[in-house]
Amino acid sequence: MKPLDHLKKLKLEYYKSRYPNVPSFAAPVPKFSDKTANGLTKCIIEYLTLEGWQAERINTMGRTIDNRKQITDVLGQTKTIGSTTYIPTTGTKGSADISATVKGMSIKIEVKINDQQSDNQKKYQESIERSGGQYWLVRSFDQFYERYHNFMNGSNNNQ
């Protein structure tokens, strides 16, 4: 069975246990895709959660505060006054996309589809591995699935 099909099966089993009175034909068909970084991140978090582990997405982006407002002057013309302000993140630069705990082990998962790790991400990886944690760089759900099962079977060396 393909890894994404296994994820779909786990999700359907979850629906059946959570909603036992809903007939099978009425259960929503789960849709998962690892073609984008966002989709792959969702797949990984969903899989780890369905397996009974803790996993969460880490957002390290700053935010923009919009202090603009529109006013109408005495001639009836509308103008925008004010400005926007960018507040940088307070998170660690280079943090992985997913933070998970599996079998008591801290695992940080960086999701990359077509891009490469930044220097800050490489430094973050070194910090995690130096501390005894796991850092996985994954580019597909198949790759994550293989890495996860190797870890679960005792092959928890960093690759």
Side-chain angles (χ1 to χ4, degrees):
M1 178 181 296
K2 291 181 180 180
L4 277 176
D5 292 336
H6 185 233
L7 174 57
K8 290 175 187 175
K9 181 182 173 203
L10 283 175
K11 188 66 174 186
L12 283 172
E13 289 171 2
Y14 167 77
Y15 286 149
K16 285 180 187 177
S17 67
R18 179 79 196 250
Y19 308 104
N21 296 330
V22 174
S24 297
F25 69 86
V29 177
K31 295 178 183 175
F32 296 106
S33 173
D34 65 349
K35 301 299 180 203
T36 65
N38 191 41
L40 177 55
T41 301
K42 288 178 181 180
C43 289
I44 292 169
I45 291 172
E46 187 73 27
Y47 185 81
L48 290 172
T49 303
L50 289 169
E51 286 284 307
W53 308 115
Q54 186 278 338
E56 60 190 332
R57 182 179 208 133
I58 303 299
N59 183 358
T60 57
M61 292 186 60
R63 62 188 180 104
T64 301
I65 297 177
D66 190 353
N67 295 318
R68 297 176 297 180
K69 60 181 178 179
Q70 290 207 333
I71 61 163
T72 305
D73 64 16
V74 294
L75 299 174
Q77 296 178 343
T78 304
K79 296 181 182 182
T80 301
I81 62 169
S83 62
T84 59
T85 307
Y86 178 76
I87 300 176
T89 183
T90 57
T92 304
K93 288 184 179 180
S95 287
D97 297 310
I98 300 169
S99 178
T101 304
V102 177
K103 289 176 35 176
M105 173 68 77
S106 173
I107 301 175
K108 307 297 182 182
I109 304 168
E110 181 63 31
V111 174
K112 294 288 183 191
I113 297 293
N114 294 320
D115 51 341
Q116 300 295 318
Q117 275 182 301
S118 70
D119 290 338
N120 285 331
Q121 289 170 330
K122 290 175 184 176
K123 288 176 188 173
Y124 184 81
Q125 177 179 1
E126 290 170 9
S127 171
I128 294 300
E129 291 172 348
R130 195 173 45 249
S131 301
Q134 294 268 318
Y135 185 97
W136 300 351
L137 180 64
V138 297
R139 298 184 179 282
S140 68
F141 190 72
D142 290 355
Q143 184 183 19
F144 161 77
Y145 189 82
E146 180 181 347
R147 187 78 189 263
Y148 171 79
H149 285 282
N150 287 340
F151 174 80
M152 294 302 287
N153 293 325
S155 303
N156 41 332
N157 59 336
N158 283 310
Q159 297 175 349

